[in-house]
């Protein structure tokens, strides 16, 4: 029982990390109809940038605060220079473009940081254990849960309670109409893409002390994030949030209790959701 | 071309003839590779032909049915593993192994396709990629069956009418024959009423559904056919290489196949063959003295998408003033 509690907490940690990625992906997909395969790369890039910044400044906090900036910048440049030109073409082109970039970033990380597994120590302030019901639990992970929930709340407020959020929601529903009403959709696209990139990089730095830094962490977070989006439904923050926590908890508990079947559990969950609600738990059914 | 021909546009019925001439020339050139080019070139061409089957099968769903699959290396891998496990480890022999590879990959495509076709567009590609990584993880972790990251080998080449395929010449012509067979089978399929339904789904799925076609079923059928041809390609690769490892199922391998199709020209069937040749030859040349092969692939990928969307074959057709 105590172990189960600890595992659920671990699942939530994994879930909030995925949420940071899935929220950006889901919004980008809902708004721009683009799936950005390169977001996993921003996650990996952010983690390694964080490592370099941490080594240079000696402070984890500076790394956490600064690493998302270059990622956002790359996102802005990519969106304006390349992705924007492809809106008139089909999905395939945009997806392929971001897919090409996953190769580029993968090689870039290998080039700059090498292929070895690296570790990013948690900040000294949070580098300890705290005793909970289930026994000792790392303080840093509790901190991650707090940060993840706070960011989720912040994003929800941004989307639901501000003018900008209203514009984004209008764009998700019908971007042509929103454009007709005078909303600067291209600017919104760029901003959301950059925000998604920054969140992914932030998640990368935050995840560093928990999962370590290695080549291939990009795809390892992307695949479950895809499943989160399919399970939660596209274009909804709520779907990304609930989906992330659900997948995170199911995957972690599966790995702890059914190690042989753990690989399939989240796929099984996804298949069940698809069979009962093809649009995802919180997705709105649309006529294609 | 001769001057009198250039004055008036040649009548339409002459064109297929010219195309046929080009075809005969291409086949003859391929048939002459081993005697003239030697075994080194022969091996490269064999590899190109094997991967060209895979690229053509992806083109069937990507270019003709409009299904964006990001996990096509999966069926190649399943075909290769099945061929080695049944043909080699169980000792059923190369031919039965190849057959099991085709059927196994088709069956896997049926199962995965049944789930993935429930969603369309972007979620479809996310799911194909996710299932691709699932199969990859299985091939990596089920060490008892697959040998884990070391891979698995031990498939002997069978013989054909008493001619052992260990003879490079015999193997070359077998692969060439199977490649041509695959090409004509896929071409015939695309020109058939079934193929026209596929193209209809690509162009406008809602309309096809409105006319009464159960589009999901048709998409599944296309996915299964593509998977089976992918399995054929993988099985042939197992015979060619005698060895398969999880690397061949990795998402980057699926990316390579996509690249072959796009480089050559999506939805042309011939284009992916050209794309495969260019891609593999480039890979052989570049990766031997340059570590940054992935970056190069990525950049070519991006450039192709941005500036060279019609692919090599489309470009060639444009230059030759041909058209379809």
């Amino acid at each position: 029982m105590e172990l189960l509690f600890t595992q659920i907490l671990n699942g939530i940690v994994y879930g909030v990390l995925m949420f940071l990625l899935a929220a950006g992906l889901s919004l980008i997909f809902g708004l721009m109809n683009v799936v950005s395969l390169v977001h996993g790369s921003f996650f990996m890039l952010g983690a390694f940038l964080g490592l370099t910044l941490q080594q240079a400044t000696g402070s984890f906090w500076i790394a956490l605060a600064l690493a998302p900036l270059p990622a956002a910048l790359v996102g802005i440049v990519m969106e304006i220079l390349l992705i924007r030109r492809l809106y008139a073409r089909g999905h395939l082109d945009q997806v392929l473009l971001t897919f090409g970039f996953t190769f580029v970033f993968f090689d870039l990380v290998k080039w700059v940081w090498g292929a070895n597994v690296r570790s990013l120590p948690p900040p000294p302030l949070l580098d300890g254990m705290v005793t909970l019901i289930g026994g000792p639990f790392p303080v840093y992970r509790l901190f991650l849960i707090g940060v993840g929930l706070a960011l989720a709340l912040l994003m929800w407020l941004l989307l639901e309670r501000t003018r900008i959020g209203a514009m984004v929601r209008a764009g998700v529903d019908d971007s042509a109409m929103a454009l007709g009403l005078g909303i600067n959709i291209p600017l919104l696209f760029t901003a959301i893409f950059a925000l998604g990139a920054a969140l992914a990089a932030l998640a990368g730095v935050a995840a560093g002390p928990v999962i370590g830094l290695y080549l291939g962490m990009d795809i390892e977070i992307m695949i479950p994030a895809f499943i989160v989006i399919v399970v939660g439904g596209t274009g909804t923050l709520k779907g990304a949030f609930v989906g992330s926590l659900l997948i995170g908890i199911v995957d972690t508990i599966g790995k702890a209790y059914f190690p042989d079947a753990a690989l399939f559990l989240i796929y099984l969950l996804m298949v069940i959701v698809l069979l009962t609600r093809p649009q995802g738990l919180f997705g709105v059914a649309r006529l294609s | 071309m001769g001057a009198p021909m250039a004055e008036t546009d040649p009548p339409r019925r002459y064109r297929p003839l010219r195309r046929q001439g080009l075809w005969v020339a291409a086949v003859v050139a391929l048939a002459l590779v081993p005697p003239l080019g030697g075994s080194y070139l022969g091996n490269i061409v064999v590899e190109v032909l094997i991967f060209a089957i895979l690229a053509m099968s992806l083109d069937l769903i990507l270019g003709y049915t409009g299904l964006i699959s990001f996990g096509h290396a999966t069926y190649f891998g399943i075909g290769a593993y099945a061929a080695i496990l049944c043909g080699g480890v169980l000792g059923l022999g190369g031919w039965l192994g190849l057959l099991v590879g085709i059927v196994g990959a088709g069956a896997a495509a049926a199962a995965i396709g049944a789930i993935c076709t429930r969603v369309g567009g972007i979620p479809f590609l996310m799911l194909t990629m996710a299932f691709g990584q699932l199969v990859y993880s299985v091939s990596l972790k089920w060490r008892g069956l697959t040998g884990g990251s070391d891979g698995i080998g031990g498939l002997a080449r069978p013989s054909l009418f008493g001619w052992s395929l260990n003879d490079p010449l015999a193997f070359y012509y077998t692969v060439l024959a199977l490649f041509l067979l695959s090409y004509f089978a896929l071409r015939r399929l695309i020109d058939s009423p079934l193929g026209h339904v596929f193209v209809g789904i690509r162009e406008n799925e809602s309309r096809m559904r409105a006319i009464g076609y159960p589009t999901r079923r048709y998409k599944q059928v296309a996915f299964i056919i593509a998977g089976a041809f992918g399995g054929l390609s993988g099985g042939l690769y197992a015979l060619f290489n005698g060895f398969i490892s999880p690397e061949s199922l990795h998402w980057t391998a699926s990316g390579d196949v996509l690249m072959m199709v796009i480089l050559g020209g999506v939805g042309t069937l011939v284009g992916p063959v050209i794309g495969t040749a260019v891609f593999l030859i480039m890979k052989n040349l570049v990766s031997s003295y340059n570590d940054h092969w992935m970056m190069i692939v990525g950049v070519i990928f991006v450039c192709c998408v941005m500036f060279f969307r019609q692919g090599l074959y489309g470009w060639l057709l444009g230059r030759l003033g041909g058209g379809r």
Side-chain angles (χ1 to χ4, degrees), chain A residues 26-35 79 83 87 91 94 171-172 175 185 188-190 192-193:
Chain A
S26 181
L27 279 182
I28 290 170
F29 178 51
L31 185 70
M32 300 158 62
N33 229 336
V34 172
V35 61
E79 206 280 334
I83 297 177
Y87 288 134
H91 290 163
Q94 300 155 354
V172 169
S175 62
I185 290 290
L188 214 55
F189 279 11
T190 312
I192 288 290
F193 196 80

Side-chain angles (χ1 to χ4, degrees), chain A residues 11 20 27 36 45 73 79 86 100 105 132 134 136 145 177 184 188 197 212 217 237 251-252 270 279 287-288:
Chain A
L20 292 181
L27 279 182
S36 163
L45 205 62
L73 200 67
E79 206 280 334
L86 299 181
F105 285 127
L132 296 175
I145 294 177
M177 180 62 94
N184 191 343
L188 214 55
M217 66 192 285
L237 203 60
D251 192 50
T252 308
M270 178 185 74
Q279 73 273 34
L287 297 171
S288 57

Side-chain angles (χ1 to χ4, degrees), chain B residues 13 48 53-54 75 79-80 82 119 146 168 173 211 215 219 227 255 319 321:
Chain B
R13 62 176 190 277
V48 167
I53 297 176
L54 183 65
Y75 309 101
V119 292
T146 64
Y173 287 117
I211 318 174
T215 51
K219 288 198 280 187
R319 291 305 297 261

Side-chain angles (χ1 to χ4, degrees), chain B:
Chain B
M1 291 289 149
M5 287 282 277
E7 281 177 20
T8 53
D9 216 34
R12 244 192 104 63
R13 62 176 190 277
Y14 279 36
R15 274 198 188 156
L17 202 69
R18 237 171 51 192
R19 282 277 192 95
Q20 266 172 15
L22 211 63
W23 260 109
V24 173
V27 172
V28 168
L30 280 173
L32 286 179
V33 165
L36 299 181
S39 64
Y40 178 71
L41 191 64
N43 270 339
I44 291 178
V45 177
V46 164
E47 202 182 344
V48 167
L49 292 177
I50 289 173
F51 278 97
I53 297 176
L54 183 65
M56 289 191 301
S57 72
L58 178 60
D59 200 27
L60 174 70
I61 46 175
L62 182 76
Y64 290 95
T65 321
L67 295 173
I68 310 173
S69 171
F70 264 52
H72 206 58
T74 307
Y75 309 101
F76 176 88
I78 289 174
Y81 271 106
I84 289 184
L85 286 173
C86 291
V89 178
L90 283 181
L92 295 176
W95 291 121
L96 265 178
L98 190 61
L99 191 66
V100 173
I102 296 168
V103 174
I112 293 174
I115 299 163
C116 294
T117 51
R118 296 193 76 86
V119 292
I122 301 293
F124 178 86
L125 82 87
M126 293 200 233
L127 287 192
T128 50
M129 195 167 179
F131 278 104
Q133 277 303 97
L134 177 68
V135 176
Y136 166 75
S137 302
V138 170
S139 76
L140 200 64
K141 288 180 180 154
W142 196 353
R143 299 193 62 90
L145 188 72
T146 64
S149 56
D150 298 335
I152 190 170
L155 179 62
R157 289 186 194 170
S159 53
L160 183 68
F161 307 125
W163 198 13
S164 167
L165 294 190
N166 282 323
D167 178 0
L169 212 60
F171 191 68
Y172 181 92
Y173 287 117
T174 307
V175 170
L176 179 61
L178 283 172
F179 162 78
L180 290 173
L181 209 66
S182 303
Y183 175 81
F184 286 114
L186 285 170
R187 175 59 76 196
R188 185 77 194 79
L189 173 70
I190 287 160
D191 290 339
S192 74
L194 180 62
H196 290 162
V197 177
F198 292 162
V199 173
I201 291 173
R202 177 190 74 189
E203 292 300 322
N204 193 335
E205 188 180 346
S206 333
R207 186 170 292 173
M208 291 301 279
R209 210 181 301 132
I211 318 174
Y213 286 101
T215 51
R216 235 193 89 205
R217 287 265 172 278
Y218 280 98
K219 288 198 280 187
Q220 281 175 335
V221 169
F223 202 73
I224 293 169
I225 296 172
F229 275 101
L232 169 66
S233 167
L236 281 176
Y237 184 76
L239 284 174
F240 171 60
N241 207 23
F243 172 82
I244 184 81
S245 68
E247 234 175 278
S248 303
L249 287 93
H250 197 241
W251 65 275
T252 50
S254 292
D256 285 354
V257 192
L258 259 176
M259 173 91 179
M260 294 170 192
V261 175
I262 288 151
L263 191 62
V266 180
T268 58
L269 210 58
V270 179
V273 179
I274 299 171
T276 307
V278 172
F279 181 85
L280 286 180
I281 289 167
M282 206 162 59
K283 188 171 185 171
N284 270 323
L285 290 178
V286 175
S287 61
S288 56
Y289 62 84
N290 191 317
D291 283 343
H292 297 292
W293 168 241
M294 272 190 85
M295 169 118 21
I296 294 168
V297 172
V299 170
I300 297 175
F301 223 115
V302 170
C303 291
C304 270
V305 172
M306 293 304 298
F307 311 112
F308 200 59
R309 195 58 182 76
Q310 80 273 37
L312 286 167
Y313 185 63
W315 177 77
L316 272 177
L317 283 184
R319 291 305 297 261
L320 294 175
R324 329 197 81 215

Side-chain angles (χ1 to χ4, degrees), chain A:
Chain A
M1 198 59 217
E2 286 81 13
L3 181 69
L4 183 68
F5 183 74
T6 311
Q7 292 302 348
I8 289 177
L9 278 183
N10 276 326
I12 296 175
V13 170
Y14 183 35
V16 296
L17 287 175
M18 262 189 306
F19 169 73
L20 292 181
L21 211 77
L25 273 179
S26 181
L27 279 182
I28 290 170
F29 178 51
L31 185 70
M32 300 158 62
N33 229 336
V34 172
V35 61
S36 163
L37 297 174
V38 77
H39 264 63
S41 307
F42 286 133
F43 177 78
M44 180 161 74
L45 205 62
F48 280 94
L49 277 172
L51 176 71
T52 299
L53 282 167
Q54 197 262 353
Q55 284 169 344
T57 63
S59 163
F60 177 83
W61 302 110
I62 295 178
L64 190 67
L66 292 186
L69 297 180
L73 200 67
V74 173
I76 290 173
V77 171
M78 247 171 88
E79 206 280 334
I80 292 179
L81 283 186
L82 302 170
I83 297 177
R84 181 171 290 181
R85 299 180 181 208
L86 299 181
Y87 288 134
R89 300 204 223 153
H91 290 163
L92 180 61
D93 288 27
Q94 300 155 354
V95 173
L96 290 173
L97 183 82
T98 58
F99 191 60
F101 273 105
T102 60
F103 279 73
V104 172
F105 285 127
F106 186 91
D107 207 59
L108 189 74
V109 168
K110 195 168 98 184
W111 199 350
V112 177
W113 286 280
N116 292 331
V117 177
R118 309 287 284 272
S119 64
L120 181 65
L125 183 67
L126 302 174
D127 192 13
M129 302 293 258
V130 62
T131 306
L132 296 175
I133 311 169
F137 194 77
V139 182
Y140 181 73
R141 294 190 185 201
L142 276 186
F143 162 76
L144 274 189
I145 294 177
V147 169
L149 295 181
L151 277 172
L153 186 69
L154 213 64
M155 283 172 75
W156 180 78
L157 285 175
L158 178 76
L159 264 184
E160 300 290 329
R161 291 284 180 271
T162 67
R163 245 185 109 73
I164 298 172
M167 291 180 190
V168 173
R169 278 180 291 136
V172 169
D173 269 351
D174 189 336
S175 62
M177 180 62 94
L179 188 67
L181 288 173
I183 296 173
N184 191 343
I185 290 290
L187 183 69
L188 214 55
F189 279 11
T190 312
I192 288 290
F193 196 80
L195 180 71
L199 279 174
L202 185 79
V205 185
V210 179
I211 63 171
L213 280 63
Y214 51 95
L215 269 178
M217 66 192 285
D218 51 348
I219 198 73
E220 237 163 82
I221 192 91
M222 277 304 273
I223 297 292
F226 284 167
I227 294 179
V228 163
I229 291 171
V230 172
V231 166
T234 48
T236 89
L237 203 60
K238 205 201 278 172
F241 185 71
V242 176
S244 298
L245 291 187
L246 192 64
I247 296 289
I249 292 172
V250 166
D251 192 50
T252 308
I253 288 183
K255 275 181 180 138
Y257 291 96
F258 320 97
D260 289 333
L263 209 53
F264 301 100
L265 265 185
I266 57 173
Y267 288 87
L268 191 68
L269 180 71
M270 178 185 74
V271 170
I272 292 169
V273 169
L274 274 181
L275 289 177
T276 47
R277 264 185 83 83
Q279 73 273 34
L281 292 177
F282 296 94
V284 182
R286 292 183 198 197
L287 297 171
S288 57

